[in-house]
């Protein structure tokens, strides 16, 4: 696909905005949910909200894996971190994710063995370097990272290491979209579908949106033109009342996705019910290690019992933000006790979190007032 010059992108964007205005009925409210956190950041960075006609509203969805990791999972991670014989291996963006009573960052300051990694395969070397410790990798993420972590599980099995384990809380996007629609959360009129996830799973898993719910959707890339193209596609589907899974990211997303990645996922994992922060239990929205790979499940190999019940953070409205029920600036903690420097909720912790994007590109940068 030819890369557009800046001038060509501007002209294309202007044409797309003109098309959107033609397709939109003045006075009608259309709420489109961008599922992916990276889309949320791109929408802010490129000022797309200000370009769209009044009545077309972009709302953020549960598309940040750090944000939807629930308190109970973090409480388990912290319980493991409290053990002298355990080293927690994790990506850095998990350090400040709040559990019910603490965070990994706080545990680290108190002496917990927490090792930040940059690629999952680092846990193999970590296991070799510390044969007297149990290495527990915090395996979270959507389909984008599930296949990579699945390949790491296979590599650990092939290595013969018996001290490396996985605390798994992967999340699957399609079941979450079904749950949002079943709950009629926020009255969603269409979905801008995630590009990275769709590279792995393709178009097929989203077909239920059109066939069962008669909801338009479109897979989008990450620059302004690609996102605007997806909005046009969704509005055209609404206009024609002909619903399907659109794809304006053909250069990267194939209809069948990535067969190799999907095969690894199917081999290593099986679907299970899972809890999403602030949303609750969603049927078959998670994955657990299966077959011979269940040996590496930390909760099976090293069972733990939490000494006090998990609880949500008082006043935090992450769940409502993730479902598109409220905007981040409508949370009473936003910009006061919860800021980018001192995050209270998970949506402010991650750079892809809705609250973090609103704070950085909206209020803090002067791009939007909190009332916008």
């Amino acid at each position: 696909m030819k890369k557009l010059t800046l001038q060509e992108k501007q002209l294309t964007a202007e044409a797309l905005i003109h098309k959107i205005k033609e397709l939109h009925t003045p006075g009608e409210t259309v709420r489109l949910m961008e599922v992916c956190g990276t889309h949320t950041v791109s929408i802010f960075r490129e000022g797309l909200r200000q370009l769209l006609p009044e009545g077309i509203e972009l709302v953020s969805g549960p598309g940040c894996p750090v944000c939807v990791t629930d308190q109970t999972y973090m409480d388990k991670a912290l319980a493991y971190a409290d053990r002298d014989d355990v080293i927690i291996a994790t990506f850095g963006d998990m350090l400040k994710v709040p559990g019910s009573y603490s965070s990994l960052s706080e545990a680290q300051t108190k002496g917990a063995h927490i090792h930040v990694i940059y690629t999952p395969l680092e846990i193999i070397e970590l296991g070799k370097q510390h044969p007297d410790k149990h290495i527990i990798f915090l395996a979270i993420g959507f389909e984008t990272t599930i296949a990579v972590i699945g390949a790491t599980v296979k590599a650990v099995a092939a290595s013969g290491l018996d001290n490396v384990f996985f605390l798994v809380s992967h999340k699957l996007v399609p079941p979450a979209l079904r749950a949002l629609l079943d709950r009629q959360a926020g009255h969603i009129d269409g979905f801008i579908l995630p590009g990275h996830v769709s590279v792995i799973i393709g178009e097929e898993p989203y077909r239920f949106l059109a066939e069962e719910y008669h909801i338009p959707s479109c897979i989008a890339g990450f620059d302004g033109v690609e996102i605007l193209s997806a909005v046009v596609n969704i509005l055209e589907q609404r206009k024609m009342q002909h619903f399907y899974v659109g794809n304006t990211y053909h250069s990267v997303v194939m209809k069948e996705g990535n067969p190799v990645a999907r095969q690894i996922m199917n081999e290593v994992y099986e679907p299970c019910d899972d809890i999403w922060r602030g949303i609750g239990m969603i049927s078959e929205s998670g994955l657990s290690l299966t077959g011979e790979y269940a040996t590496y499940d930390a909760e099976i190999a090293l069972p733990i019992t939490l000494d006090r019940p998990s609880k949500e953070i008082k006043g935090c409205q992450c769940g409502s933000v993730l479902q598109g029920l409220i905007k981040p600036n409508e949370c009473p903690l936003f910009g006061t006790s919860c800021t980018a420097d001192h995050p209270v909720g998970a949506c402010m912790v991650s750079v892809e979190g809705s609250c973090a994007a609103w704070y950085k590109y909206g209020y803090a940068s002067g791009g939007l007032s909190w009332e916008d």
Side-chain angles (χ1 to χ4, degrees):
M1 180 178 178
K2 176 190 172 186
K3 187 174 182 179
L4 299 178
T5 66
L6 179 59
Q7 184 179 19
E8 288 172 332
K9 286 182 69 172
Q10 289 174 337
L11 291 172
T12 303
E14 289 173 6
L16 290 168
I17 292 293
H18 180 73
K19 183 67 175 176
I20 288 169
K21 290 177 178 177
E22 283 185 343
L23 291 167
H24 178 242
T25 302
E28 181 186 28
T29 298
V30 179
R31 302 183 84 243
L32 305 181
M33 176 176 280
E34 83 272 1
V35 179
C36 177
T38 307
H39 279 152
T40 299
V41 173
S42 297
I43 286 166
F44 265 112
R45 192 174 57 237
E46 306 213 18
L48 298 190
R49 279 187 175 85
Q50 293 91 325
L51 295 176
L52 293 173
E54 185 177 352
I56 296 183
E57 183 180 355
L58 299 180
V59 295
S60 302
C64 162
V66 170
C67 302
V68 299
T69 301
D70 71 290
Q71 290 90 334
T72 301
Y73 177 87
M74 294 308 303
D75 293 343
K76 291 176 182 177
L78 286 159
Y80 281 121
D82 197 42
R83 292 177 48 159
D84 289 335
D85 62 342
V86 167
I87 295 176
I88 296 292
T90 181
F91 296 126
D93 55 2
M94 291 290 287
L95 292 180
K96 292 186 178 181
V97 178
S100 299
Y101 308 96
S102 184
S103 68
L104 291 172
S105 179
E106 292 174 5
Q108 193 174 39
T109 63
K110 296 176 182 178
H113 303 296
I114 298 171
H115 189 90
V116 174
I117 62 172
Y118 298 94
T119 64
L121 284 172
E122 290 179 49
I123 62 175
I124 293 178
E125 189 59 34
L126 199 59
K128 293 176 180 177
Q129 291 173 357
H130 301 277
D132 58 329
K133 301 285 187 182
H134 300 298
I135 312 301
I136 298 180
F137 175 56
L138 304 188
I140 72 156
F142 295 133
E143 290 90 340
T144 313
T145 55
I146 290 171
V148 175
I149 294 173
T152 304
V153 175
K154 289 169 62 74
V156 169
S159 73
L161 287 170
D162 60 1
N163 66 329
V164 177
F165 306 97
F166 298 79
L167 184 61
V168 179
S169 186
H170 294 309
K171 299 289 195 291
L172 303 175
V173 169
L177 305 187
R178 182 184 289 277
L180 289 177
L181 293 173
D182 285 344
R183 299 175 188 189
Q184 290 295 303
H187 183 61
I188 301 160
D189 297 306
F191 287 105
I192 300 173
L193 297 172
H196 293 145
V197 166
S198 301
V199 168
I200 304 298
I201 67 175
E203 301 174 9
E204 184 68 22
Y206 304 116
R207 280 183 58 186
F208 72 93
L209 295 172
E211 295 177 356
E212 298 178 37
Y213 294 90
H214 308 296
I215 290 286
S217 63
C218 186
I219 299 166
F222 296 97
D223 70 18
V225 166
E226 291 170 323
I227 295 171
L228 289 174
S229 296
V231 173
V232 168
N233 181 276
I234 291 170
L235 294 179
E236 287 176 337
Q237 292 184 49
R238 281 174 56 82
K239 196 81 167 179
M240 300 297 294
Q241 288 294 291
H242 174 56
F243 305 117
Y244 56 93
V245 180
N247 184 358
T248 60
Y249 205 28
H250 286 292
S251 60
V252 178
V253 177
M254 304 296 105
K255 188 172 184 178
E256 69 280 5
N258 184 321
V260 174
R262 290 170 62 190
Q263 172 59 36
I264 291 173
M265 290 170 58
N266 292 335
E267 179 184 350
V268 175
Y269 301 101
E270 63 181 358
C272 65
D273 300 343
D274 207 351
I275 300 173
W276 295 55
R277 180 181 290 258
I279 300 175
M281 183 72 73
I282 299 178
S283 176
E284 297 202 334
S285 65
L287 294 173
S288 60
L289 294 170
T290 189
E292 64 181 290
Y293 301 109
T295 305
Y296 302 96
D297 186 322
E299 294 190 77
I300 294 175
L302 304 168
I304 54 166
T305 301
L306 298 179
D307 58 4
R308 46 185 172 171
S310 298
K311 65 177 184 177
E312 295 188 3
I313 302 165
K314 187 176 181 179
C316 178
Q317 297 295 310
C318 271
S320 295
V321 170
L322 292 166
Q323 295 177 78
L325 295 173
I326 66 171
K327 298 174 183 176
N329 57 329
E330 294 173 326
C331 173
L333 305 187
F334 181 85
T336 54
S337 58
C338 185
T339 66
D341 292 329
H342 301 285
V344 173
C347 294
M348 187 67 87
V349 170
S350 171
V351 294
E352 291 189 349
S354 302
C355 294
W358 275 73
Y359 190 86
K360 179 178 180 179
Y361 294 101
Y363 168 71
S365 67
L368 289 174
S369 70
W370 284 1
E371 288 74 32
D372 285 335

